Amino acid sequence: MPPRGLPLDSRCLLTLVCFVAFAVQGLGGGAEGSAVGVPVTDLQDSYPPRHAIFKYYPPEEGTKSRQYPHGKAQEYQRRTYRDGYIVDVHERNTEEARERERLASNVHNTVRKAAEVHRRVRKYALDELIKPGVKLIDMCESLENATRTYLEADARGPYAGVKAGIGFPTGCSINHVAAHYTPNPGDKTVLEYDDVMKLDFGTHVDGYIVDSAFTWAPNPKYENLLRAVRAATEAGIEAAGVDVRLCDVGEAIQEVMESYEVVIDGRTYPVKCVRNLQGHSIRPYEIHAGKSVPIVAGGDHTKMEEGEVFAIETFGTTGKGYVREVGECSHYALNQDPTGAALKRIRVAEARQLAERIKKRFSTLPWCKRYLERMPKGESRYHLYLRNLVSSGVVEAYPPLCDIKGSYVAQYEHTIILKPTGKEIVSAGDHLGMDW
């Protein structure tokens, strides 16, 4: 996904203040709340979900504070690289570091809230939605409605989703399509047993986005492909850390990924990294916040920093290992336009009005055509005006990203927080009985 801009209008002033804390203080995770978020109500979940997420986590006694489950903790490791570069950890377990985590506790509890919703929606999708024969558009809309329910994205008014709700459209890219595919209105594509589907979706609270993905492929012939990509993502998470160079994360990922091969229908394929797809840093309302995490060796020596949040994602393929934009577009986002100059240059009044409604509804979060048709005024005649906005540069279009036809691409992804004393894989967690 592309870079996203932080909204600067008055509606988002509070979020901007939080962002300053996010960037300067870092996201900590010390002692505020247990590893599973306590206290917890006896409220039982249901399918489809019927309750907002806060109802499962009542305030702590004597306070109004609700604590949400922690992700998986992972310690930093001292590392010495072949070129002599050293990453040390001697300052990662001090009182000063723990104090920095305490100062950031409210912000990263917000991230955990979005992460808990992501986990519950993933479980709902796996338990109820993903099965051969389902229409992908029905699967996506059920999944997205679950996110809206948990985060009250509809209940609090037509524009509540910009406060909390869907982080970006549900990606359900099939086989050689690696990313950026979600069904457009009228799409009748059906999921089949032999498909390799990447389910990639986001949740957010106050713009803090949690981005996680996994691959569904029930036919055991793809097992080694999935195993390779999952292991590569885990290696990337293990390699990440404060002061770690991005290039070193990419090298660790590639070493694991390309140690695998897979036999499909009697033919052996080496598993290749998709070299022009990468992980990314995340900031409030910015799904790609400027730093890219490669999945191959070489490249950027930029360092990861304390307090940053990253989506560590890898893509492995039986194809060429390189994707191109192919097919009908479904993913879009407003380009950054802090002064509004680009919007003012739009001469078609209806197109300008559409852009203003998009900004109010989504801010700089990505969206898709299906979401336009859910807008308060029902944007059923948006196609012409949307093309105008894309051609003028107000809106950026992001078509599907594809390897060669006949190949298979798998993806795994988690969101991590680089806290002062250790990593937190915030989108992971086994308290719901999930293994990813």
Side-chain angles (χ1 to χ4, degrees):
M1 294 293 296
R4 309 291 177 227
L6 182 66
L8 298 178
D9 56 275
S10 60
R11 293 180 294 105
C12 296
L13 180 58
L14 181 58
T15 300
L16 183 59
V17 172
C18 290
F19 163 65
V20 173
F22 182 101
V24 175
Q25 297 172 343
L27 291 176
E32 75 291 4
S34 76
V36 294
V38 291
V40 180
T41 69
D42 294 328
L43 186 65
Q44 297 297 310
D45 220 340
S46 62
Y47 294 152
R50 295 185 293 114
H51 305 290
I53 194 65
F54 77 87
K55 293 184 178 180
Y56 297 89
Y57 297 95
E60 295 180 318
E61 185 175 356
T63 75
K64 295 183 179 180
S65 174
R66 301 174 191 270
Q67 297 299 316
Y68 293 94
H70 291 212
K72 291 184 178 180
Q74 193 173 98
E75 293 182 352
Y76 294 127
Q77 301 293 328
R78 187 181 191 277
R79 300 181 186 278
T80 302
Y81 298 93
R82 285 193 292 267
D83 62 358
Y85 180 67
I86 297 174
V87 174
D88 214 334
V89 295
H90 66 277
E91 296 182 353
R92 296 289 152 205
N93 190 26
T94 64
E95 186 59 37
E96 291 82 358
R98 288 188 288 273
E99 176 64 9
R100 293 197 300 275
E101 291 191 7
R102 187 192 68 79
L103 291 172
S105 61
N106 288 338
V107 171
H108 94 286
N109 189 53
T110 299
V111 180
R112 288 175 179 155
K113 180 179 180 179
E116 176 65 3
V117 170
H118 201 290
R119 280 190 292 269
R120 288 178 181 251
V121 175
R122 289 205 309 270
K123 189 172 190 302
Y124 170 45
L126 285 166
D127 289 349
E128 296 286 323
L129 302 179
I130 307 175
K131 59 191 68 175
V134 68
K135 285 185 178 180
L136 292 181
I137 194 168
D138 294 338
M139 179 194 72
C140 289
E141 290 182 348
S142 294
L143 184 154
E144 291 160 354
N145 284 336
T147 297
R148 293 181 181 112
T149 296
Y150 280 129
L151 291 173
E152 301 182 286
D154 286 336
R156 295 180 179 272
Y159 300 107
V162 78
K163 176 70 174 174
I166 295 168
F168 53 84
T170 303
C172 53
S173 304
I174 300 291
N175 299 335
H176 72 288
V177 183
H180 293 184
Y181 164 77
T182 196
N184 281 326
D187 190 322
K188 293 179 170 51
T189 303
V190 171
L191 185 63
E192 298 181 0
Y193 173 77
D194 279 335
D195 283 336
V196 176
M197 179 183 71
K198 285 69 67 182
L199 193 71
D200 185 359
F201 68 97
T203 57
H204 86 96
V205 176
D206 290 335
Y208 292 98
I209 304 166
V210 170
D211 183 359
S212 182
F214 64 93
T215 298
W216 176 91
N219 192 323
K221 67 183 180 181
Y222 303 120
E223 183 177 339
N224 233 32
L225 173 62
L226 272 60
R227 184 180 291 120
V229 182
R230 177 168 176 160
T233 299
E234 290 170 345
I237 293 170
E238 174 69 23
V242 177
D243 293 332
V244 171
R245 299 174 300 190
L246 298 174
C247 60
D248 295 320
V249 179
E251 182 174 351
I253 289 169
Q254 185 175 20
E255 182 178 357
V256 171
M257 180 87 78
E258 298 189 352
S259 68
Y260 283 80
E261 59 184 25
V262 57
V263 179
I264 301 175
D265 298 331
R267 181 176 175 182
T268 300
Y269 299 88
V271 179
K272 301 176 183 177
C273 296
V274 181
R275 60 186 182 274
N276 60 330
L277 291 178
Q278 302 177 318
H280 47 92
S281 58
I282 303 174
R283 286 197 297 259
Y285 292 98
E286 290 185 78
I287 186 62
H288 277 223
K291 290 185 179 180
S292 295
V293 185
I295 65 173
V296 292
D300 197 346
H301 279 57
T302 299
K303 297 176 184 177
M304 294 177 155
E305 298 176 64
E306 180 182 306
E308 289 185 316
V309 176
F310 285 91
I312 304 297
E313 62 180 321
T314 72
F315 296 81
T317 178
T318 62
K320 295 292 187 182
Y322 191 88
V323 294
R324 289 176 167 76
E325 295 181 347
V326 179
E328 181 183 4
C329 188
S330 59
H331 285 57
Y332 300 86
L334 283 177
N335 278 317
Q336 297 186 43
D337 184 22
T339 66
L343 187 57
K344 291 175 183 177
R345 291 195 296 269
I346 299 296
R347 296 183 179 181
V348 180
E350 292 86 351
R352 187 167 56 251
Q353 291 165 8
L354 174 61
E356 290 168 348
R357 288 195 290 272
I358 288 170
K359 182 178 180 181
K360 188 175 182 182
R361 182 76 167 183
F362 308 112
S363 184
T364 50
L365 296 170
W367 42 272
C368 63
K369 291 177 179 177
R370 288 185 290 109
Y371 297 177
L372 294 186
E373 297 193 359
R374 297 184 81 258
M375 288 171 65
K377 292 189 177 182
E379 300 293 342
S380 59
R381 300 178 58 190
Y382 60 81
H383 296 87
L384 177 62
Y385 308 132
L386 178 56
R387 286 196 294 271
N388 184 281
L389 294 175
V390 171
S391 64
S392 66
V394 172
V395 166
E396 195 72 29
Y398 300 94
L401 299 172
C402 304
D403 203 330
I404 59 172
K405 284 189 177 182
S407 65
Y408 299 96
V409 181
Q411 174 196 16
Y412 280 90
E413 176 180 25
H414 269 315
T415 297
I416 66 170
I417 305 171
L418 299 183
K419 302 185 297 184
T421 65
K423 286 171 279 189
E424 181 175 342
I425 313 169
V426 70
S427 54
D430 57 10
H431 66 284
L432 296 179
M434 300 178 64
D435 67 351
W436 182 253

